[in-house]
Amino acid sequence: MKLGYDVLNLDLGAEADRIAGRLREILRDLSRRGMVVAMSGGIDSSVCAALAVRAVGKDKIFGLLLPEQDSSSGSSARGRQLADHLGIECELVDIAPTLAAIGCYRWRDEAIRRVFPDYDGTWKNKIVISGGLEGQVNHFKLIVQTPAGETKEARLGLREYLQIVAATNFKQRIRKTVEYFHADRLNYAVVGTPNRLEYDQGFFVKNGDGSADLKPIAHLYKTQVYAMARHLGLPDEICSATPTTDTYSLQQGQDEFYFALPYRQMDLALWALNHGRPASELAAALGIDTTQAERIYADIQAKRRTTRYLHAKAVLVEAVTELPG
């Protein structure tokens, strides 16, 4: 079969039914009554919420909107729209005061000022990735924008990069804390929302959005998640939403921060690598040269190696054989 985007086609009705059936089985195994879903307004959490409703009904799903000071206003609006569309109970919790209290913004701003001394906390900012597709080691750049609209960028040193990322990871971990509070309160399971591309490439925060009781779409490529959203009849605003991190105050696409290519091309590259297709076939499918395709494969493999820690369970010094796994 010639490599093309049709390899990602699914029988969406059958797959939705299969996922819903597995969710019911998992809930029984976990002895939980329903599911908690944090809804960012993005495609992944929206599809997870819709599949959860398909599995157990709207009365057993609890939605959460968890914005903070850097969140896009559109995120909560789309999340609320989804809750209304699905008919589920939903609560908004602004986590900004908690993040401020534990130093999230302070630690981030301190690191940014080491790069841009004039930064005063009112500037917008984001981190972008660079280098991998040029055959270089991936490195990160900090981009800031002053209130007057002036944009500056600089390569990030390791110390500053790690501190900014560690600080922003507070956001995902506090969100997960809120999710588990409601899960404990309701005897529900927490839904994790990564798609296959994110799960494979380690695009999540350990004990943050990477933590969950079940992950309904971790086997679906992002292209398939968009197709599933349309199949499930989700609102157009959600089905057409551009993937963003919604973590930094400057708008940031996932391909800017982490992935080598936009999601549709990354899906095809990951599928091709997973199915043993040579780089020359990927190059022809994407309209690039073979060297670039080889670099994409190398970047995927490098991310798998460097994010192995994120997937790892706590390591016991000695196995406790009386307990599973």
Side-chain angles (χ1 to χ4, degrees):
M1 180 193 301
K2 182 179 179 181
L3 182 62
Y5 289 104
D6 57 341
V7 300
L8 298 170
N9 291 346
L10 277 177
D11 181 335
L12 295 164
E15 182 61 18
D17 287 342
R18 188 180 76 86
I19 293 171
R22 276 293 292 140
L23 294 180
R24 289 191 292 271
E25 291 174 358
I26 293 167
L27 285 183
R28 285 195 295 270
D29 290 344
L30 296 175
S31 299
R32 293 295 182 267
R33 299 173 49 249
M35 289 173 267
V36 172
V37 187
M39 303 182 303
S40 67
I43 196 74
D44 298 316
S45 61
S46 298
V47 167
C48 284
L51 290 169
V53 170
R54 190 184 188 98
V56 297
K58 63 183 181 180
D59 293 335
K60 293 184 179 180
I61 306 301
F62 184 76
L64 283 166
L65 308 176
L66 302 169
E68 47 90 25
Q69 70 178 33
D70 295 325
S71 299
S72 163
S73 59
S75 298
S76 290
R78 287 195 303 272
R80 182 67 71 184
Q81 181 184 19
L82 177 71
D84 292 342
H85 175 81
L86 296 176
I88 62 175
E89 182 181 359
C90 182
E91 182 173 321
L92 186 147
V93 180
D94 181 0
I95 64 170
T98 300
L99 292 172
I102 60 178
C104 167
Y105 306 119
R106 174 175 59 82
W107 281 102
R108 178 201 64 193
D109 292 349
E110 177 189 281
I112 293 175
R113 274 193 294 273
R114 293 204 294 268
V115 183
F116 295 106
D118 293 336
Y119 174 86
D120 65 1
T122 65
W123 301 12
K124 294 184 177 181
N125 61 83
K126 67 179 177 181
I127 293 176
V128 300
I129 195 169
S130 183
L133 291 189
E134 292 78 44
Q136 305 170 21
V137 175
N138 278 325
H139 61 272
F140 292 90
K141 295 187 291 185
L142 175 64
I143 298 178
V144 296
Q145 185 181 79
T146 69
E150 180 186 3
T151 299
K152 305 177 182 182
E153 68 174 59
R155 183 164 176 163
L156 269 175
L158 179 61
R159 179 188 175 202
E160 287 71 31
Y161 166 75
L162 290 175
Q163 184 167 323
I164 292 170
V165 170
T168 56
N169 285 352
F170 269 133
K171 300 178 182 184
Q172 308 301 340
R173 290 178 174 135
I174 292 300
R175 288 187 176 111
K176 196 57 61 173
T177 297
V178 177
E179 291 172 52
Y180 269 101
F181 163 74
H182 288 286
D184 291 347
R185 177 179 68 84
L186 296 165
N187 194 32
Y188 280 10
V190 169
V191 173
T193 64
N195 58 65
R196 186 171 192 146
L197 182 59
E198 294 171 347
Y199 187 75
D200 183 290
Q201 294 288 275
F203 188 59
F204 56 84
V205 175
K206 189 165 189 173
N207 295 325
D209 55 335
S211 179
D213 297 313
L214 48 90
K215 297 180 180 181
I217 61 170
H219 64 292
L220 295 182
Y221 293 89
K222 187 126 188 159
T223 304
Q224 295 170 334
V225 178
Y226 271 99
M228 184 65 76
R230 291 187 287 271
H231 171 77
L232 295 172
L234 299 189
D236 289 342
E237 292 85 348
I238 291 170
C239 292
S240 60
T242 300
T244 67
T245 63
D246 203 26
T247 296
Y248 295 88
S249 51
L250 272 176
Q251 185 172 358
Q252 179 196 55
Q254 291 183 346
D255 53 322
E256 283 186 292
F257 177 68
Y258 198 75
F259 297 113
L261 298 166
Y263 79 85
R264 192 163 180 262
Q265 295 166 284
M266 277 302 306
D267 277 350
L268 188 59
L270 182 60
W271 188 96
L273 180 60
N274 287 344
H275 290 81
R277 297 297 184 92
S280 58
E281 284 193 41
L282 178 64
L286 296 183
I288 59 178
D289 64 46
T290 300
T291 299
Q292 288 175 301
E294 288 170 345
R295 288 172 179 167
I296 293 168
Y297 279 175
D299 190 65
I300 291 172
Q301 298 284 28
K303 285 188 172 72
R304 284 175 172 172
R305 289 191 301 272
T306 57
T307 62
R308 181 182 174 190
Y309 162 77
L310 301 181
H311 288 279
K313 298 178 181 178
V315 180
L316 303 183
V317 171
E318 181 178 324
V320 180
T321 57
E322 294 80 7
L323 297 176

